Amino acid sequence: MSASDSSAPSSPDITLLRQPGLISCLVGRNLSAFSSQVQAVAVGWQIYSLTHSAASLGFVGLAQFLPMLLLTLPAGHVADQFSRHRIVITCQMIEASAAFGMAIASWQHLIGPWALYALVALFGACRAFEMPAQQTFLPAIVPTSLFPRAAALSSSLFQVACIAGPSLGGVLYGFGADTCYALCCIGFASSALATASIRMRFPERRRQPITLESVMGGIAFLRRQRPMLGAISLDLFAVLLGGATALLPVYAEDILHAGPVALGLLRAGPAMGAVLMAVIMTRWPIRRNAGKIMFLSVAVFGVATIVFGVSRSIPLSILALMVLGAADVISVMVRGALIQLGTPDEMRGRVSAVNMLFIGSSNQLGEFESGMLAACVGAVPAVVIGGVGTLIVTGVWMRLFPGLRELDRLDDIKPSA
């Protein structure tokens, strides 16, 4: 190599991977995500096998939602006052211990529906503290200029975990739910070790007492930032109305007449589409018209939900879920860049907590809504109604939040006061 070649600047991809702590951050996050996905397949199939009730699948979502509803905002305050690093490690170790308990209880045939609801609620409580703290890692590790690529890389690896987790979970469930939970225990413990190896420094923050004003600080901040509020609330209603994943056990067994392996493939469908889109966006990130692209992606999400709802073919159902996942990852990336880059560091924990309350809990509340609606009108009408509702919300939000619609370049976003 010539001297001129050796002095040439590194490519953005190489520069990104050289950021200290990035690899450990990604490994820790994605091992945790992988374990959560394996657990979701096992819990969903086990609870449906025990009850044969669509409503019981909805109660799983409710059991996860309630702890997040109660704890996420206080958890955001905690993330802004204490070591975010230690918070994440502690939560991951509790998750590993709970998964170990689930494995033993399933192995000994001591687990029933109410025990599953209780353990899922414990995981919901852990995620309420873990996720707001974990969301602050990436902007603390990579510079703003590399954040869109880092977010795309993180999302693509996250989606790989979401593909491998359900697929492997479906296969391993054939050996028993205890096998799935044992794997989850190993995964959560390994994620805690990876997180512990991250070396990063956060700015010193002045401790504040826990008051209603400080806990609600994230909401107050978002009320002043209309584009951020629009992005978060749009995803809330899209996921709430268009969440078909809660009914996948019903589709796999009663509509598509398949087994746990097919359920794993269906659960992996959104992630397969998302990882393809995330890889594309890692190489070609959104340059212009980010707001319009986000609204278009949510509309596509609604259409794909409707197609999945009416499908009676496993390949078509998986394809519809892949399109759904690809559309969703676009809105996730735009929203993530808008929130993480537009929020000052001293507010990131609380704003991330509000984001996770809206987005994370909407997944569980959407599962509850889907399960209850399916119990009343049937699984297919419930999914179709949700997809139509997503399209309606998209049109309304385009009029309510013109600032979000006109959002252009993501790398121009600056922290707001």
Side-chain angles (χ1 to χ4, degrees), residues 183-246:
L183 179 63
C184 293
C185 174
I186 295 171
F188 285 126
S190 299
S191 68
L193 291 175
T195 303
S197 70
I198 301 173
R199 296 292 180 264
M200 56 185 171
R201 297 180 63 86
F202 289 100
E204 291 293 330
R205 297 184 296 274
R206 182 170 59 88
R207 293 282 176 86
Q208 298 177 355
I210 296 182
T211 64
L212 183 61
E213 182 181 1
S214 65
V215 170
M216 303 297 287
I219 293 178
F221 178 83
L222 288 170
R223 288 181 63 185
R224 300 192 299 269
Q225 308 299 324
R226 293 279 296 171
M228 288 190 196
L229 180 61
I232 292 176
S233 57
L234 174 63
D235 197 280
L236 166 68
F237 284 103
V239 173
L240 179 63
L241 295 171
T245 55

Side-chain angles (χ1 to χ4, degrees), residues 21-29 141 191 193-199:
L22 178 62
I23 292 178
S24 294
C25 174
L26 296 176
V27 170
R29 178 175 186 257
I141 291 173
S191 68
L193 291 175
T195 303
S197 70
I198 301 173
R199 296 292 180 264

Side-chain angles (χ1 to χ4, degrees), residues 304-335:
T305 299
I306 295 171
V307 173
F308 170 77
V310 300
S311 171
R312 295 296 183 274
S313 163
I314 293 178
L316 178 59
S317 296
I318 294 174
L319 179 61
L321 290 171
M322 288 178 65
V323 173
L324 180 151
D328 184 54
V329 81
I330 295 174
S331 70
V332 166
M333 288 183 182
V334 175
R335 187 186 68 248

